[in-house]
DNA sequence: TTACTTGCAAATCGTTTGCGATATA
DNA sequence: TATATCGCAAACGATTTGCAAGTAA
């Protein structure tokens, strides 16, 4: 008597997984929906959401909660760090060797730390290159708060 | 010619700020709405949202984006660390002295890190105490994924 | 054959916004 | 008095869900 579901590998699920695994960036559900529709034009957004949920339950992908107003998904299911670009909003992997975090499990306030979530904010390679060509001066963040960045063209 | 708004200190705004400053935990907008209604019964949820936004723009409170499906607010506007309890879902401050983070601005992948967001996951003092009394064994996190924890009774 | 999955559409939930009335500086 | 703010209700955007039909194992 198992509580597990016998998940099936449908064509929809397979295409979503493949698309995600072939990407460098970590897209939102609606971005994945657009990509997958070029292969399966009749797929629905609900199916995309359901499959992303199941694939992450199966441990095949990662659900990222970096963006507060939209979830993002990562075809690499091993835990690692991410950076969100302040210019294009895309999310990329960060080399874990460049980061060190130290904390004591037992906090003087009486809390017990079990795990942590960290993500970085900065500029991606592509936008840095664009910056040095166009002189758009991204590194000045003043007045950027709350403004919507350009929609990323993924891939 | 200033772009600033001349914010006013209305009774609603003052009560929201005071409530938030007198709290140890960091509530959601609807939790604040419930609290404030006991003082100002005719206040609307929209007003609570608008004021929380303005108070954080004024730099008097902090908008926390720890919980992905609901924003939380902190009466202490200085940047500091937080922990969310896996049992009651409440968010508390973490003593910053117990945490050390090291990273290099320039990532080998070509990204440039400007800032970071970190928060901790664990157990709050209250729930640890409840655990040792009731033997509910919180520290076993298996099967907890996605489950809704009990609604916190704030204060 | 069975029960998992789909497409579709409607529902949900947190949050934002337009409006005419009210209150603060 | 000018305009920031209010309460109310409707709108919004991301996500979830109910249902009848379709399909993988």
């Amino acid at each position: 008597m198992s509580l597990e579901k016998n998940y099936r590998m449908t064509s929809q699920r397979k295409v979503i997984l493949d698309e995600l695994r072939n990407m460098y960036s970590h897209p939102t559900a609606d971005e994945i929906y657009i990509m997958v529709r070029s292969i399966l034009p009749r797929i629905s957004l609900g199916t995309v959401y359901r499959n992303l949920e199941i694939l992450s339950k199966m441990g095949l992908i990662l659900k990222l909660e970096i963006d507060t107003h939209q979830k993002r998904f990562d075809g690499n299911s091993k835990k690692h760090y991410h950076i969100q670009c302040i210019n294009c909003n895309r999310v990329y992997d960060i080399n874990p060797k460049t980061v060190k975090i130290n904390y004591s499990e037992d906090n003087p306030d009486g809390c017990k730390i079990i795990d942590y979530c960290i993500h970085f904010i900065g500029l991606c390679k592509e936008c840095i290159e664009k910056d040095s060509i166009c002189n758009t001066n991204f590194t000045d963040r003043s007045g950027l708060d709350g403004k919507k960045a350009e929609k990323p063209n993924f891939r």
Side-chain angles (χ1 to χ4, degrees), chain A:
Chain A
M1 173 189 137
S2 154
L3 293 167
E4 305 263 310
K5 266 208 176 189
N6 294 310
Y7 295 123
R8 295 170 184 175
M9 192 48 77
T10 61
S11 57
Q12 290 90 338
R13 192 162 299 166
K14 188 79 178 58
V15 169
I16 290 168
L17 181 59
D18 287 346
E19 286 295 296
L20 215 38
R21 282 189 169 158
N22 290 330
M23 294 199 67
Y24 181 50
S25 170
H26 307 326
T28 57
D30 59 294
E31 287 170 353
I32 294 165
Y33 175 55
I34 293 166
M35 292 162 49
V36 170
R37 250 196 320 190
S38 67
I39 301 164
L40 301 169
R42 293 191 45 75
I43 199 171
S44 75
L45 184 56
T47 298
V48 171
Y49 272 105
R50 267 189 285 231
N51 276 304
L52 289 169
E53 190 59 42
I54 289 170
L55 286 168
S56 91
K57 272 207 175 69
M58 292 168 87
L60 297 174
I61 66 168
L62 229 49
K63 202 195 311 182
L64 309 182
E65 319 224 306
I66 282 176
D67 222 314
T68 12
H69 82 289
Q70 265 182 305
K71 284 171 191 151
R72 289 180 173 272
F73 299 88
D74 186 344
N76 173 6
S77 59
K78 277 180 290 180
K79 196 182 171 173
H80 54 283
Y81 302 128
H82 295 101
I83 182 166
Q84 182 160 36
C85 178
I86 57 165
N87 185 55
C88 69
N89 274 346
R90 275 176 290 207
V91 172
Y92 294 97
D93 291 339
I94 272 284
N95 189 319
K97 284 180 186 168
T98 60
V99 179
K100 253 201 193 80
I101 297 157
N102 283 303
Y103 60 89
S104 64
E105 265 196 9
D106 298 292
N107 204 272
D109 311 321
C111 293
K112 195 174 194 75
I113 295 174
I114 293 170
D115 200 4
Y116 64 88
C117 282
I118 189 166
H119 70 266
F120 295 88
I121 297 142
L123 285 164
C124 71
K125 197 182 169 181
E126 219 174 283
C127 287
I128 292 168
E129 280 162 8
K130 232 193 288 169
D131 192 30
S132 70
I133 298 163
C134 308
N135 243 6
T136 25
N137 199 20
F138 295 145
T139 31
D140 175 17
R141 291 185 77 199
S142 63
L144 202 127
D145 197 47
K147 240 173 248 170
K148 221 165 186 163
E150 70 175 77
K151 196 85 183 163
N153 321 306
F154 29 88
R155 264 202 274 208

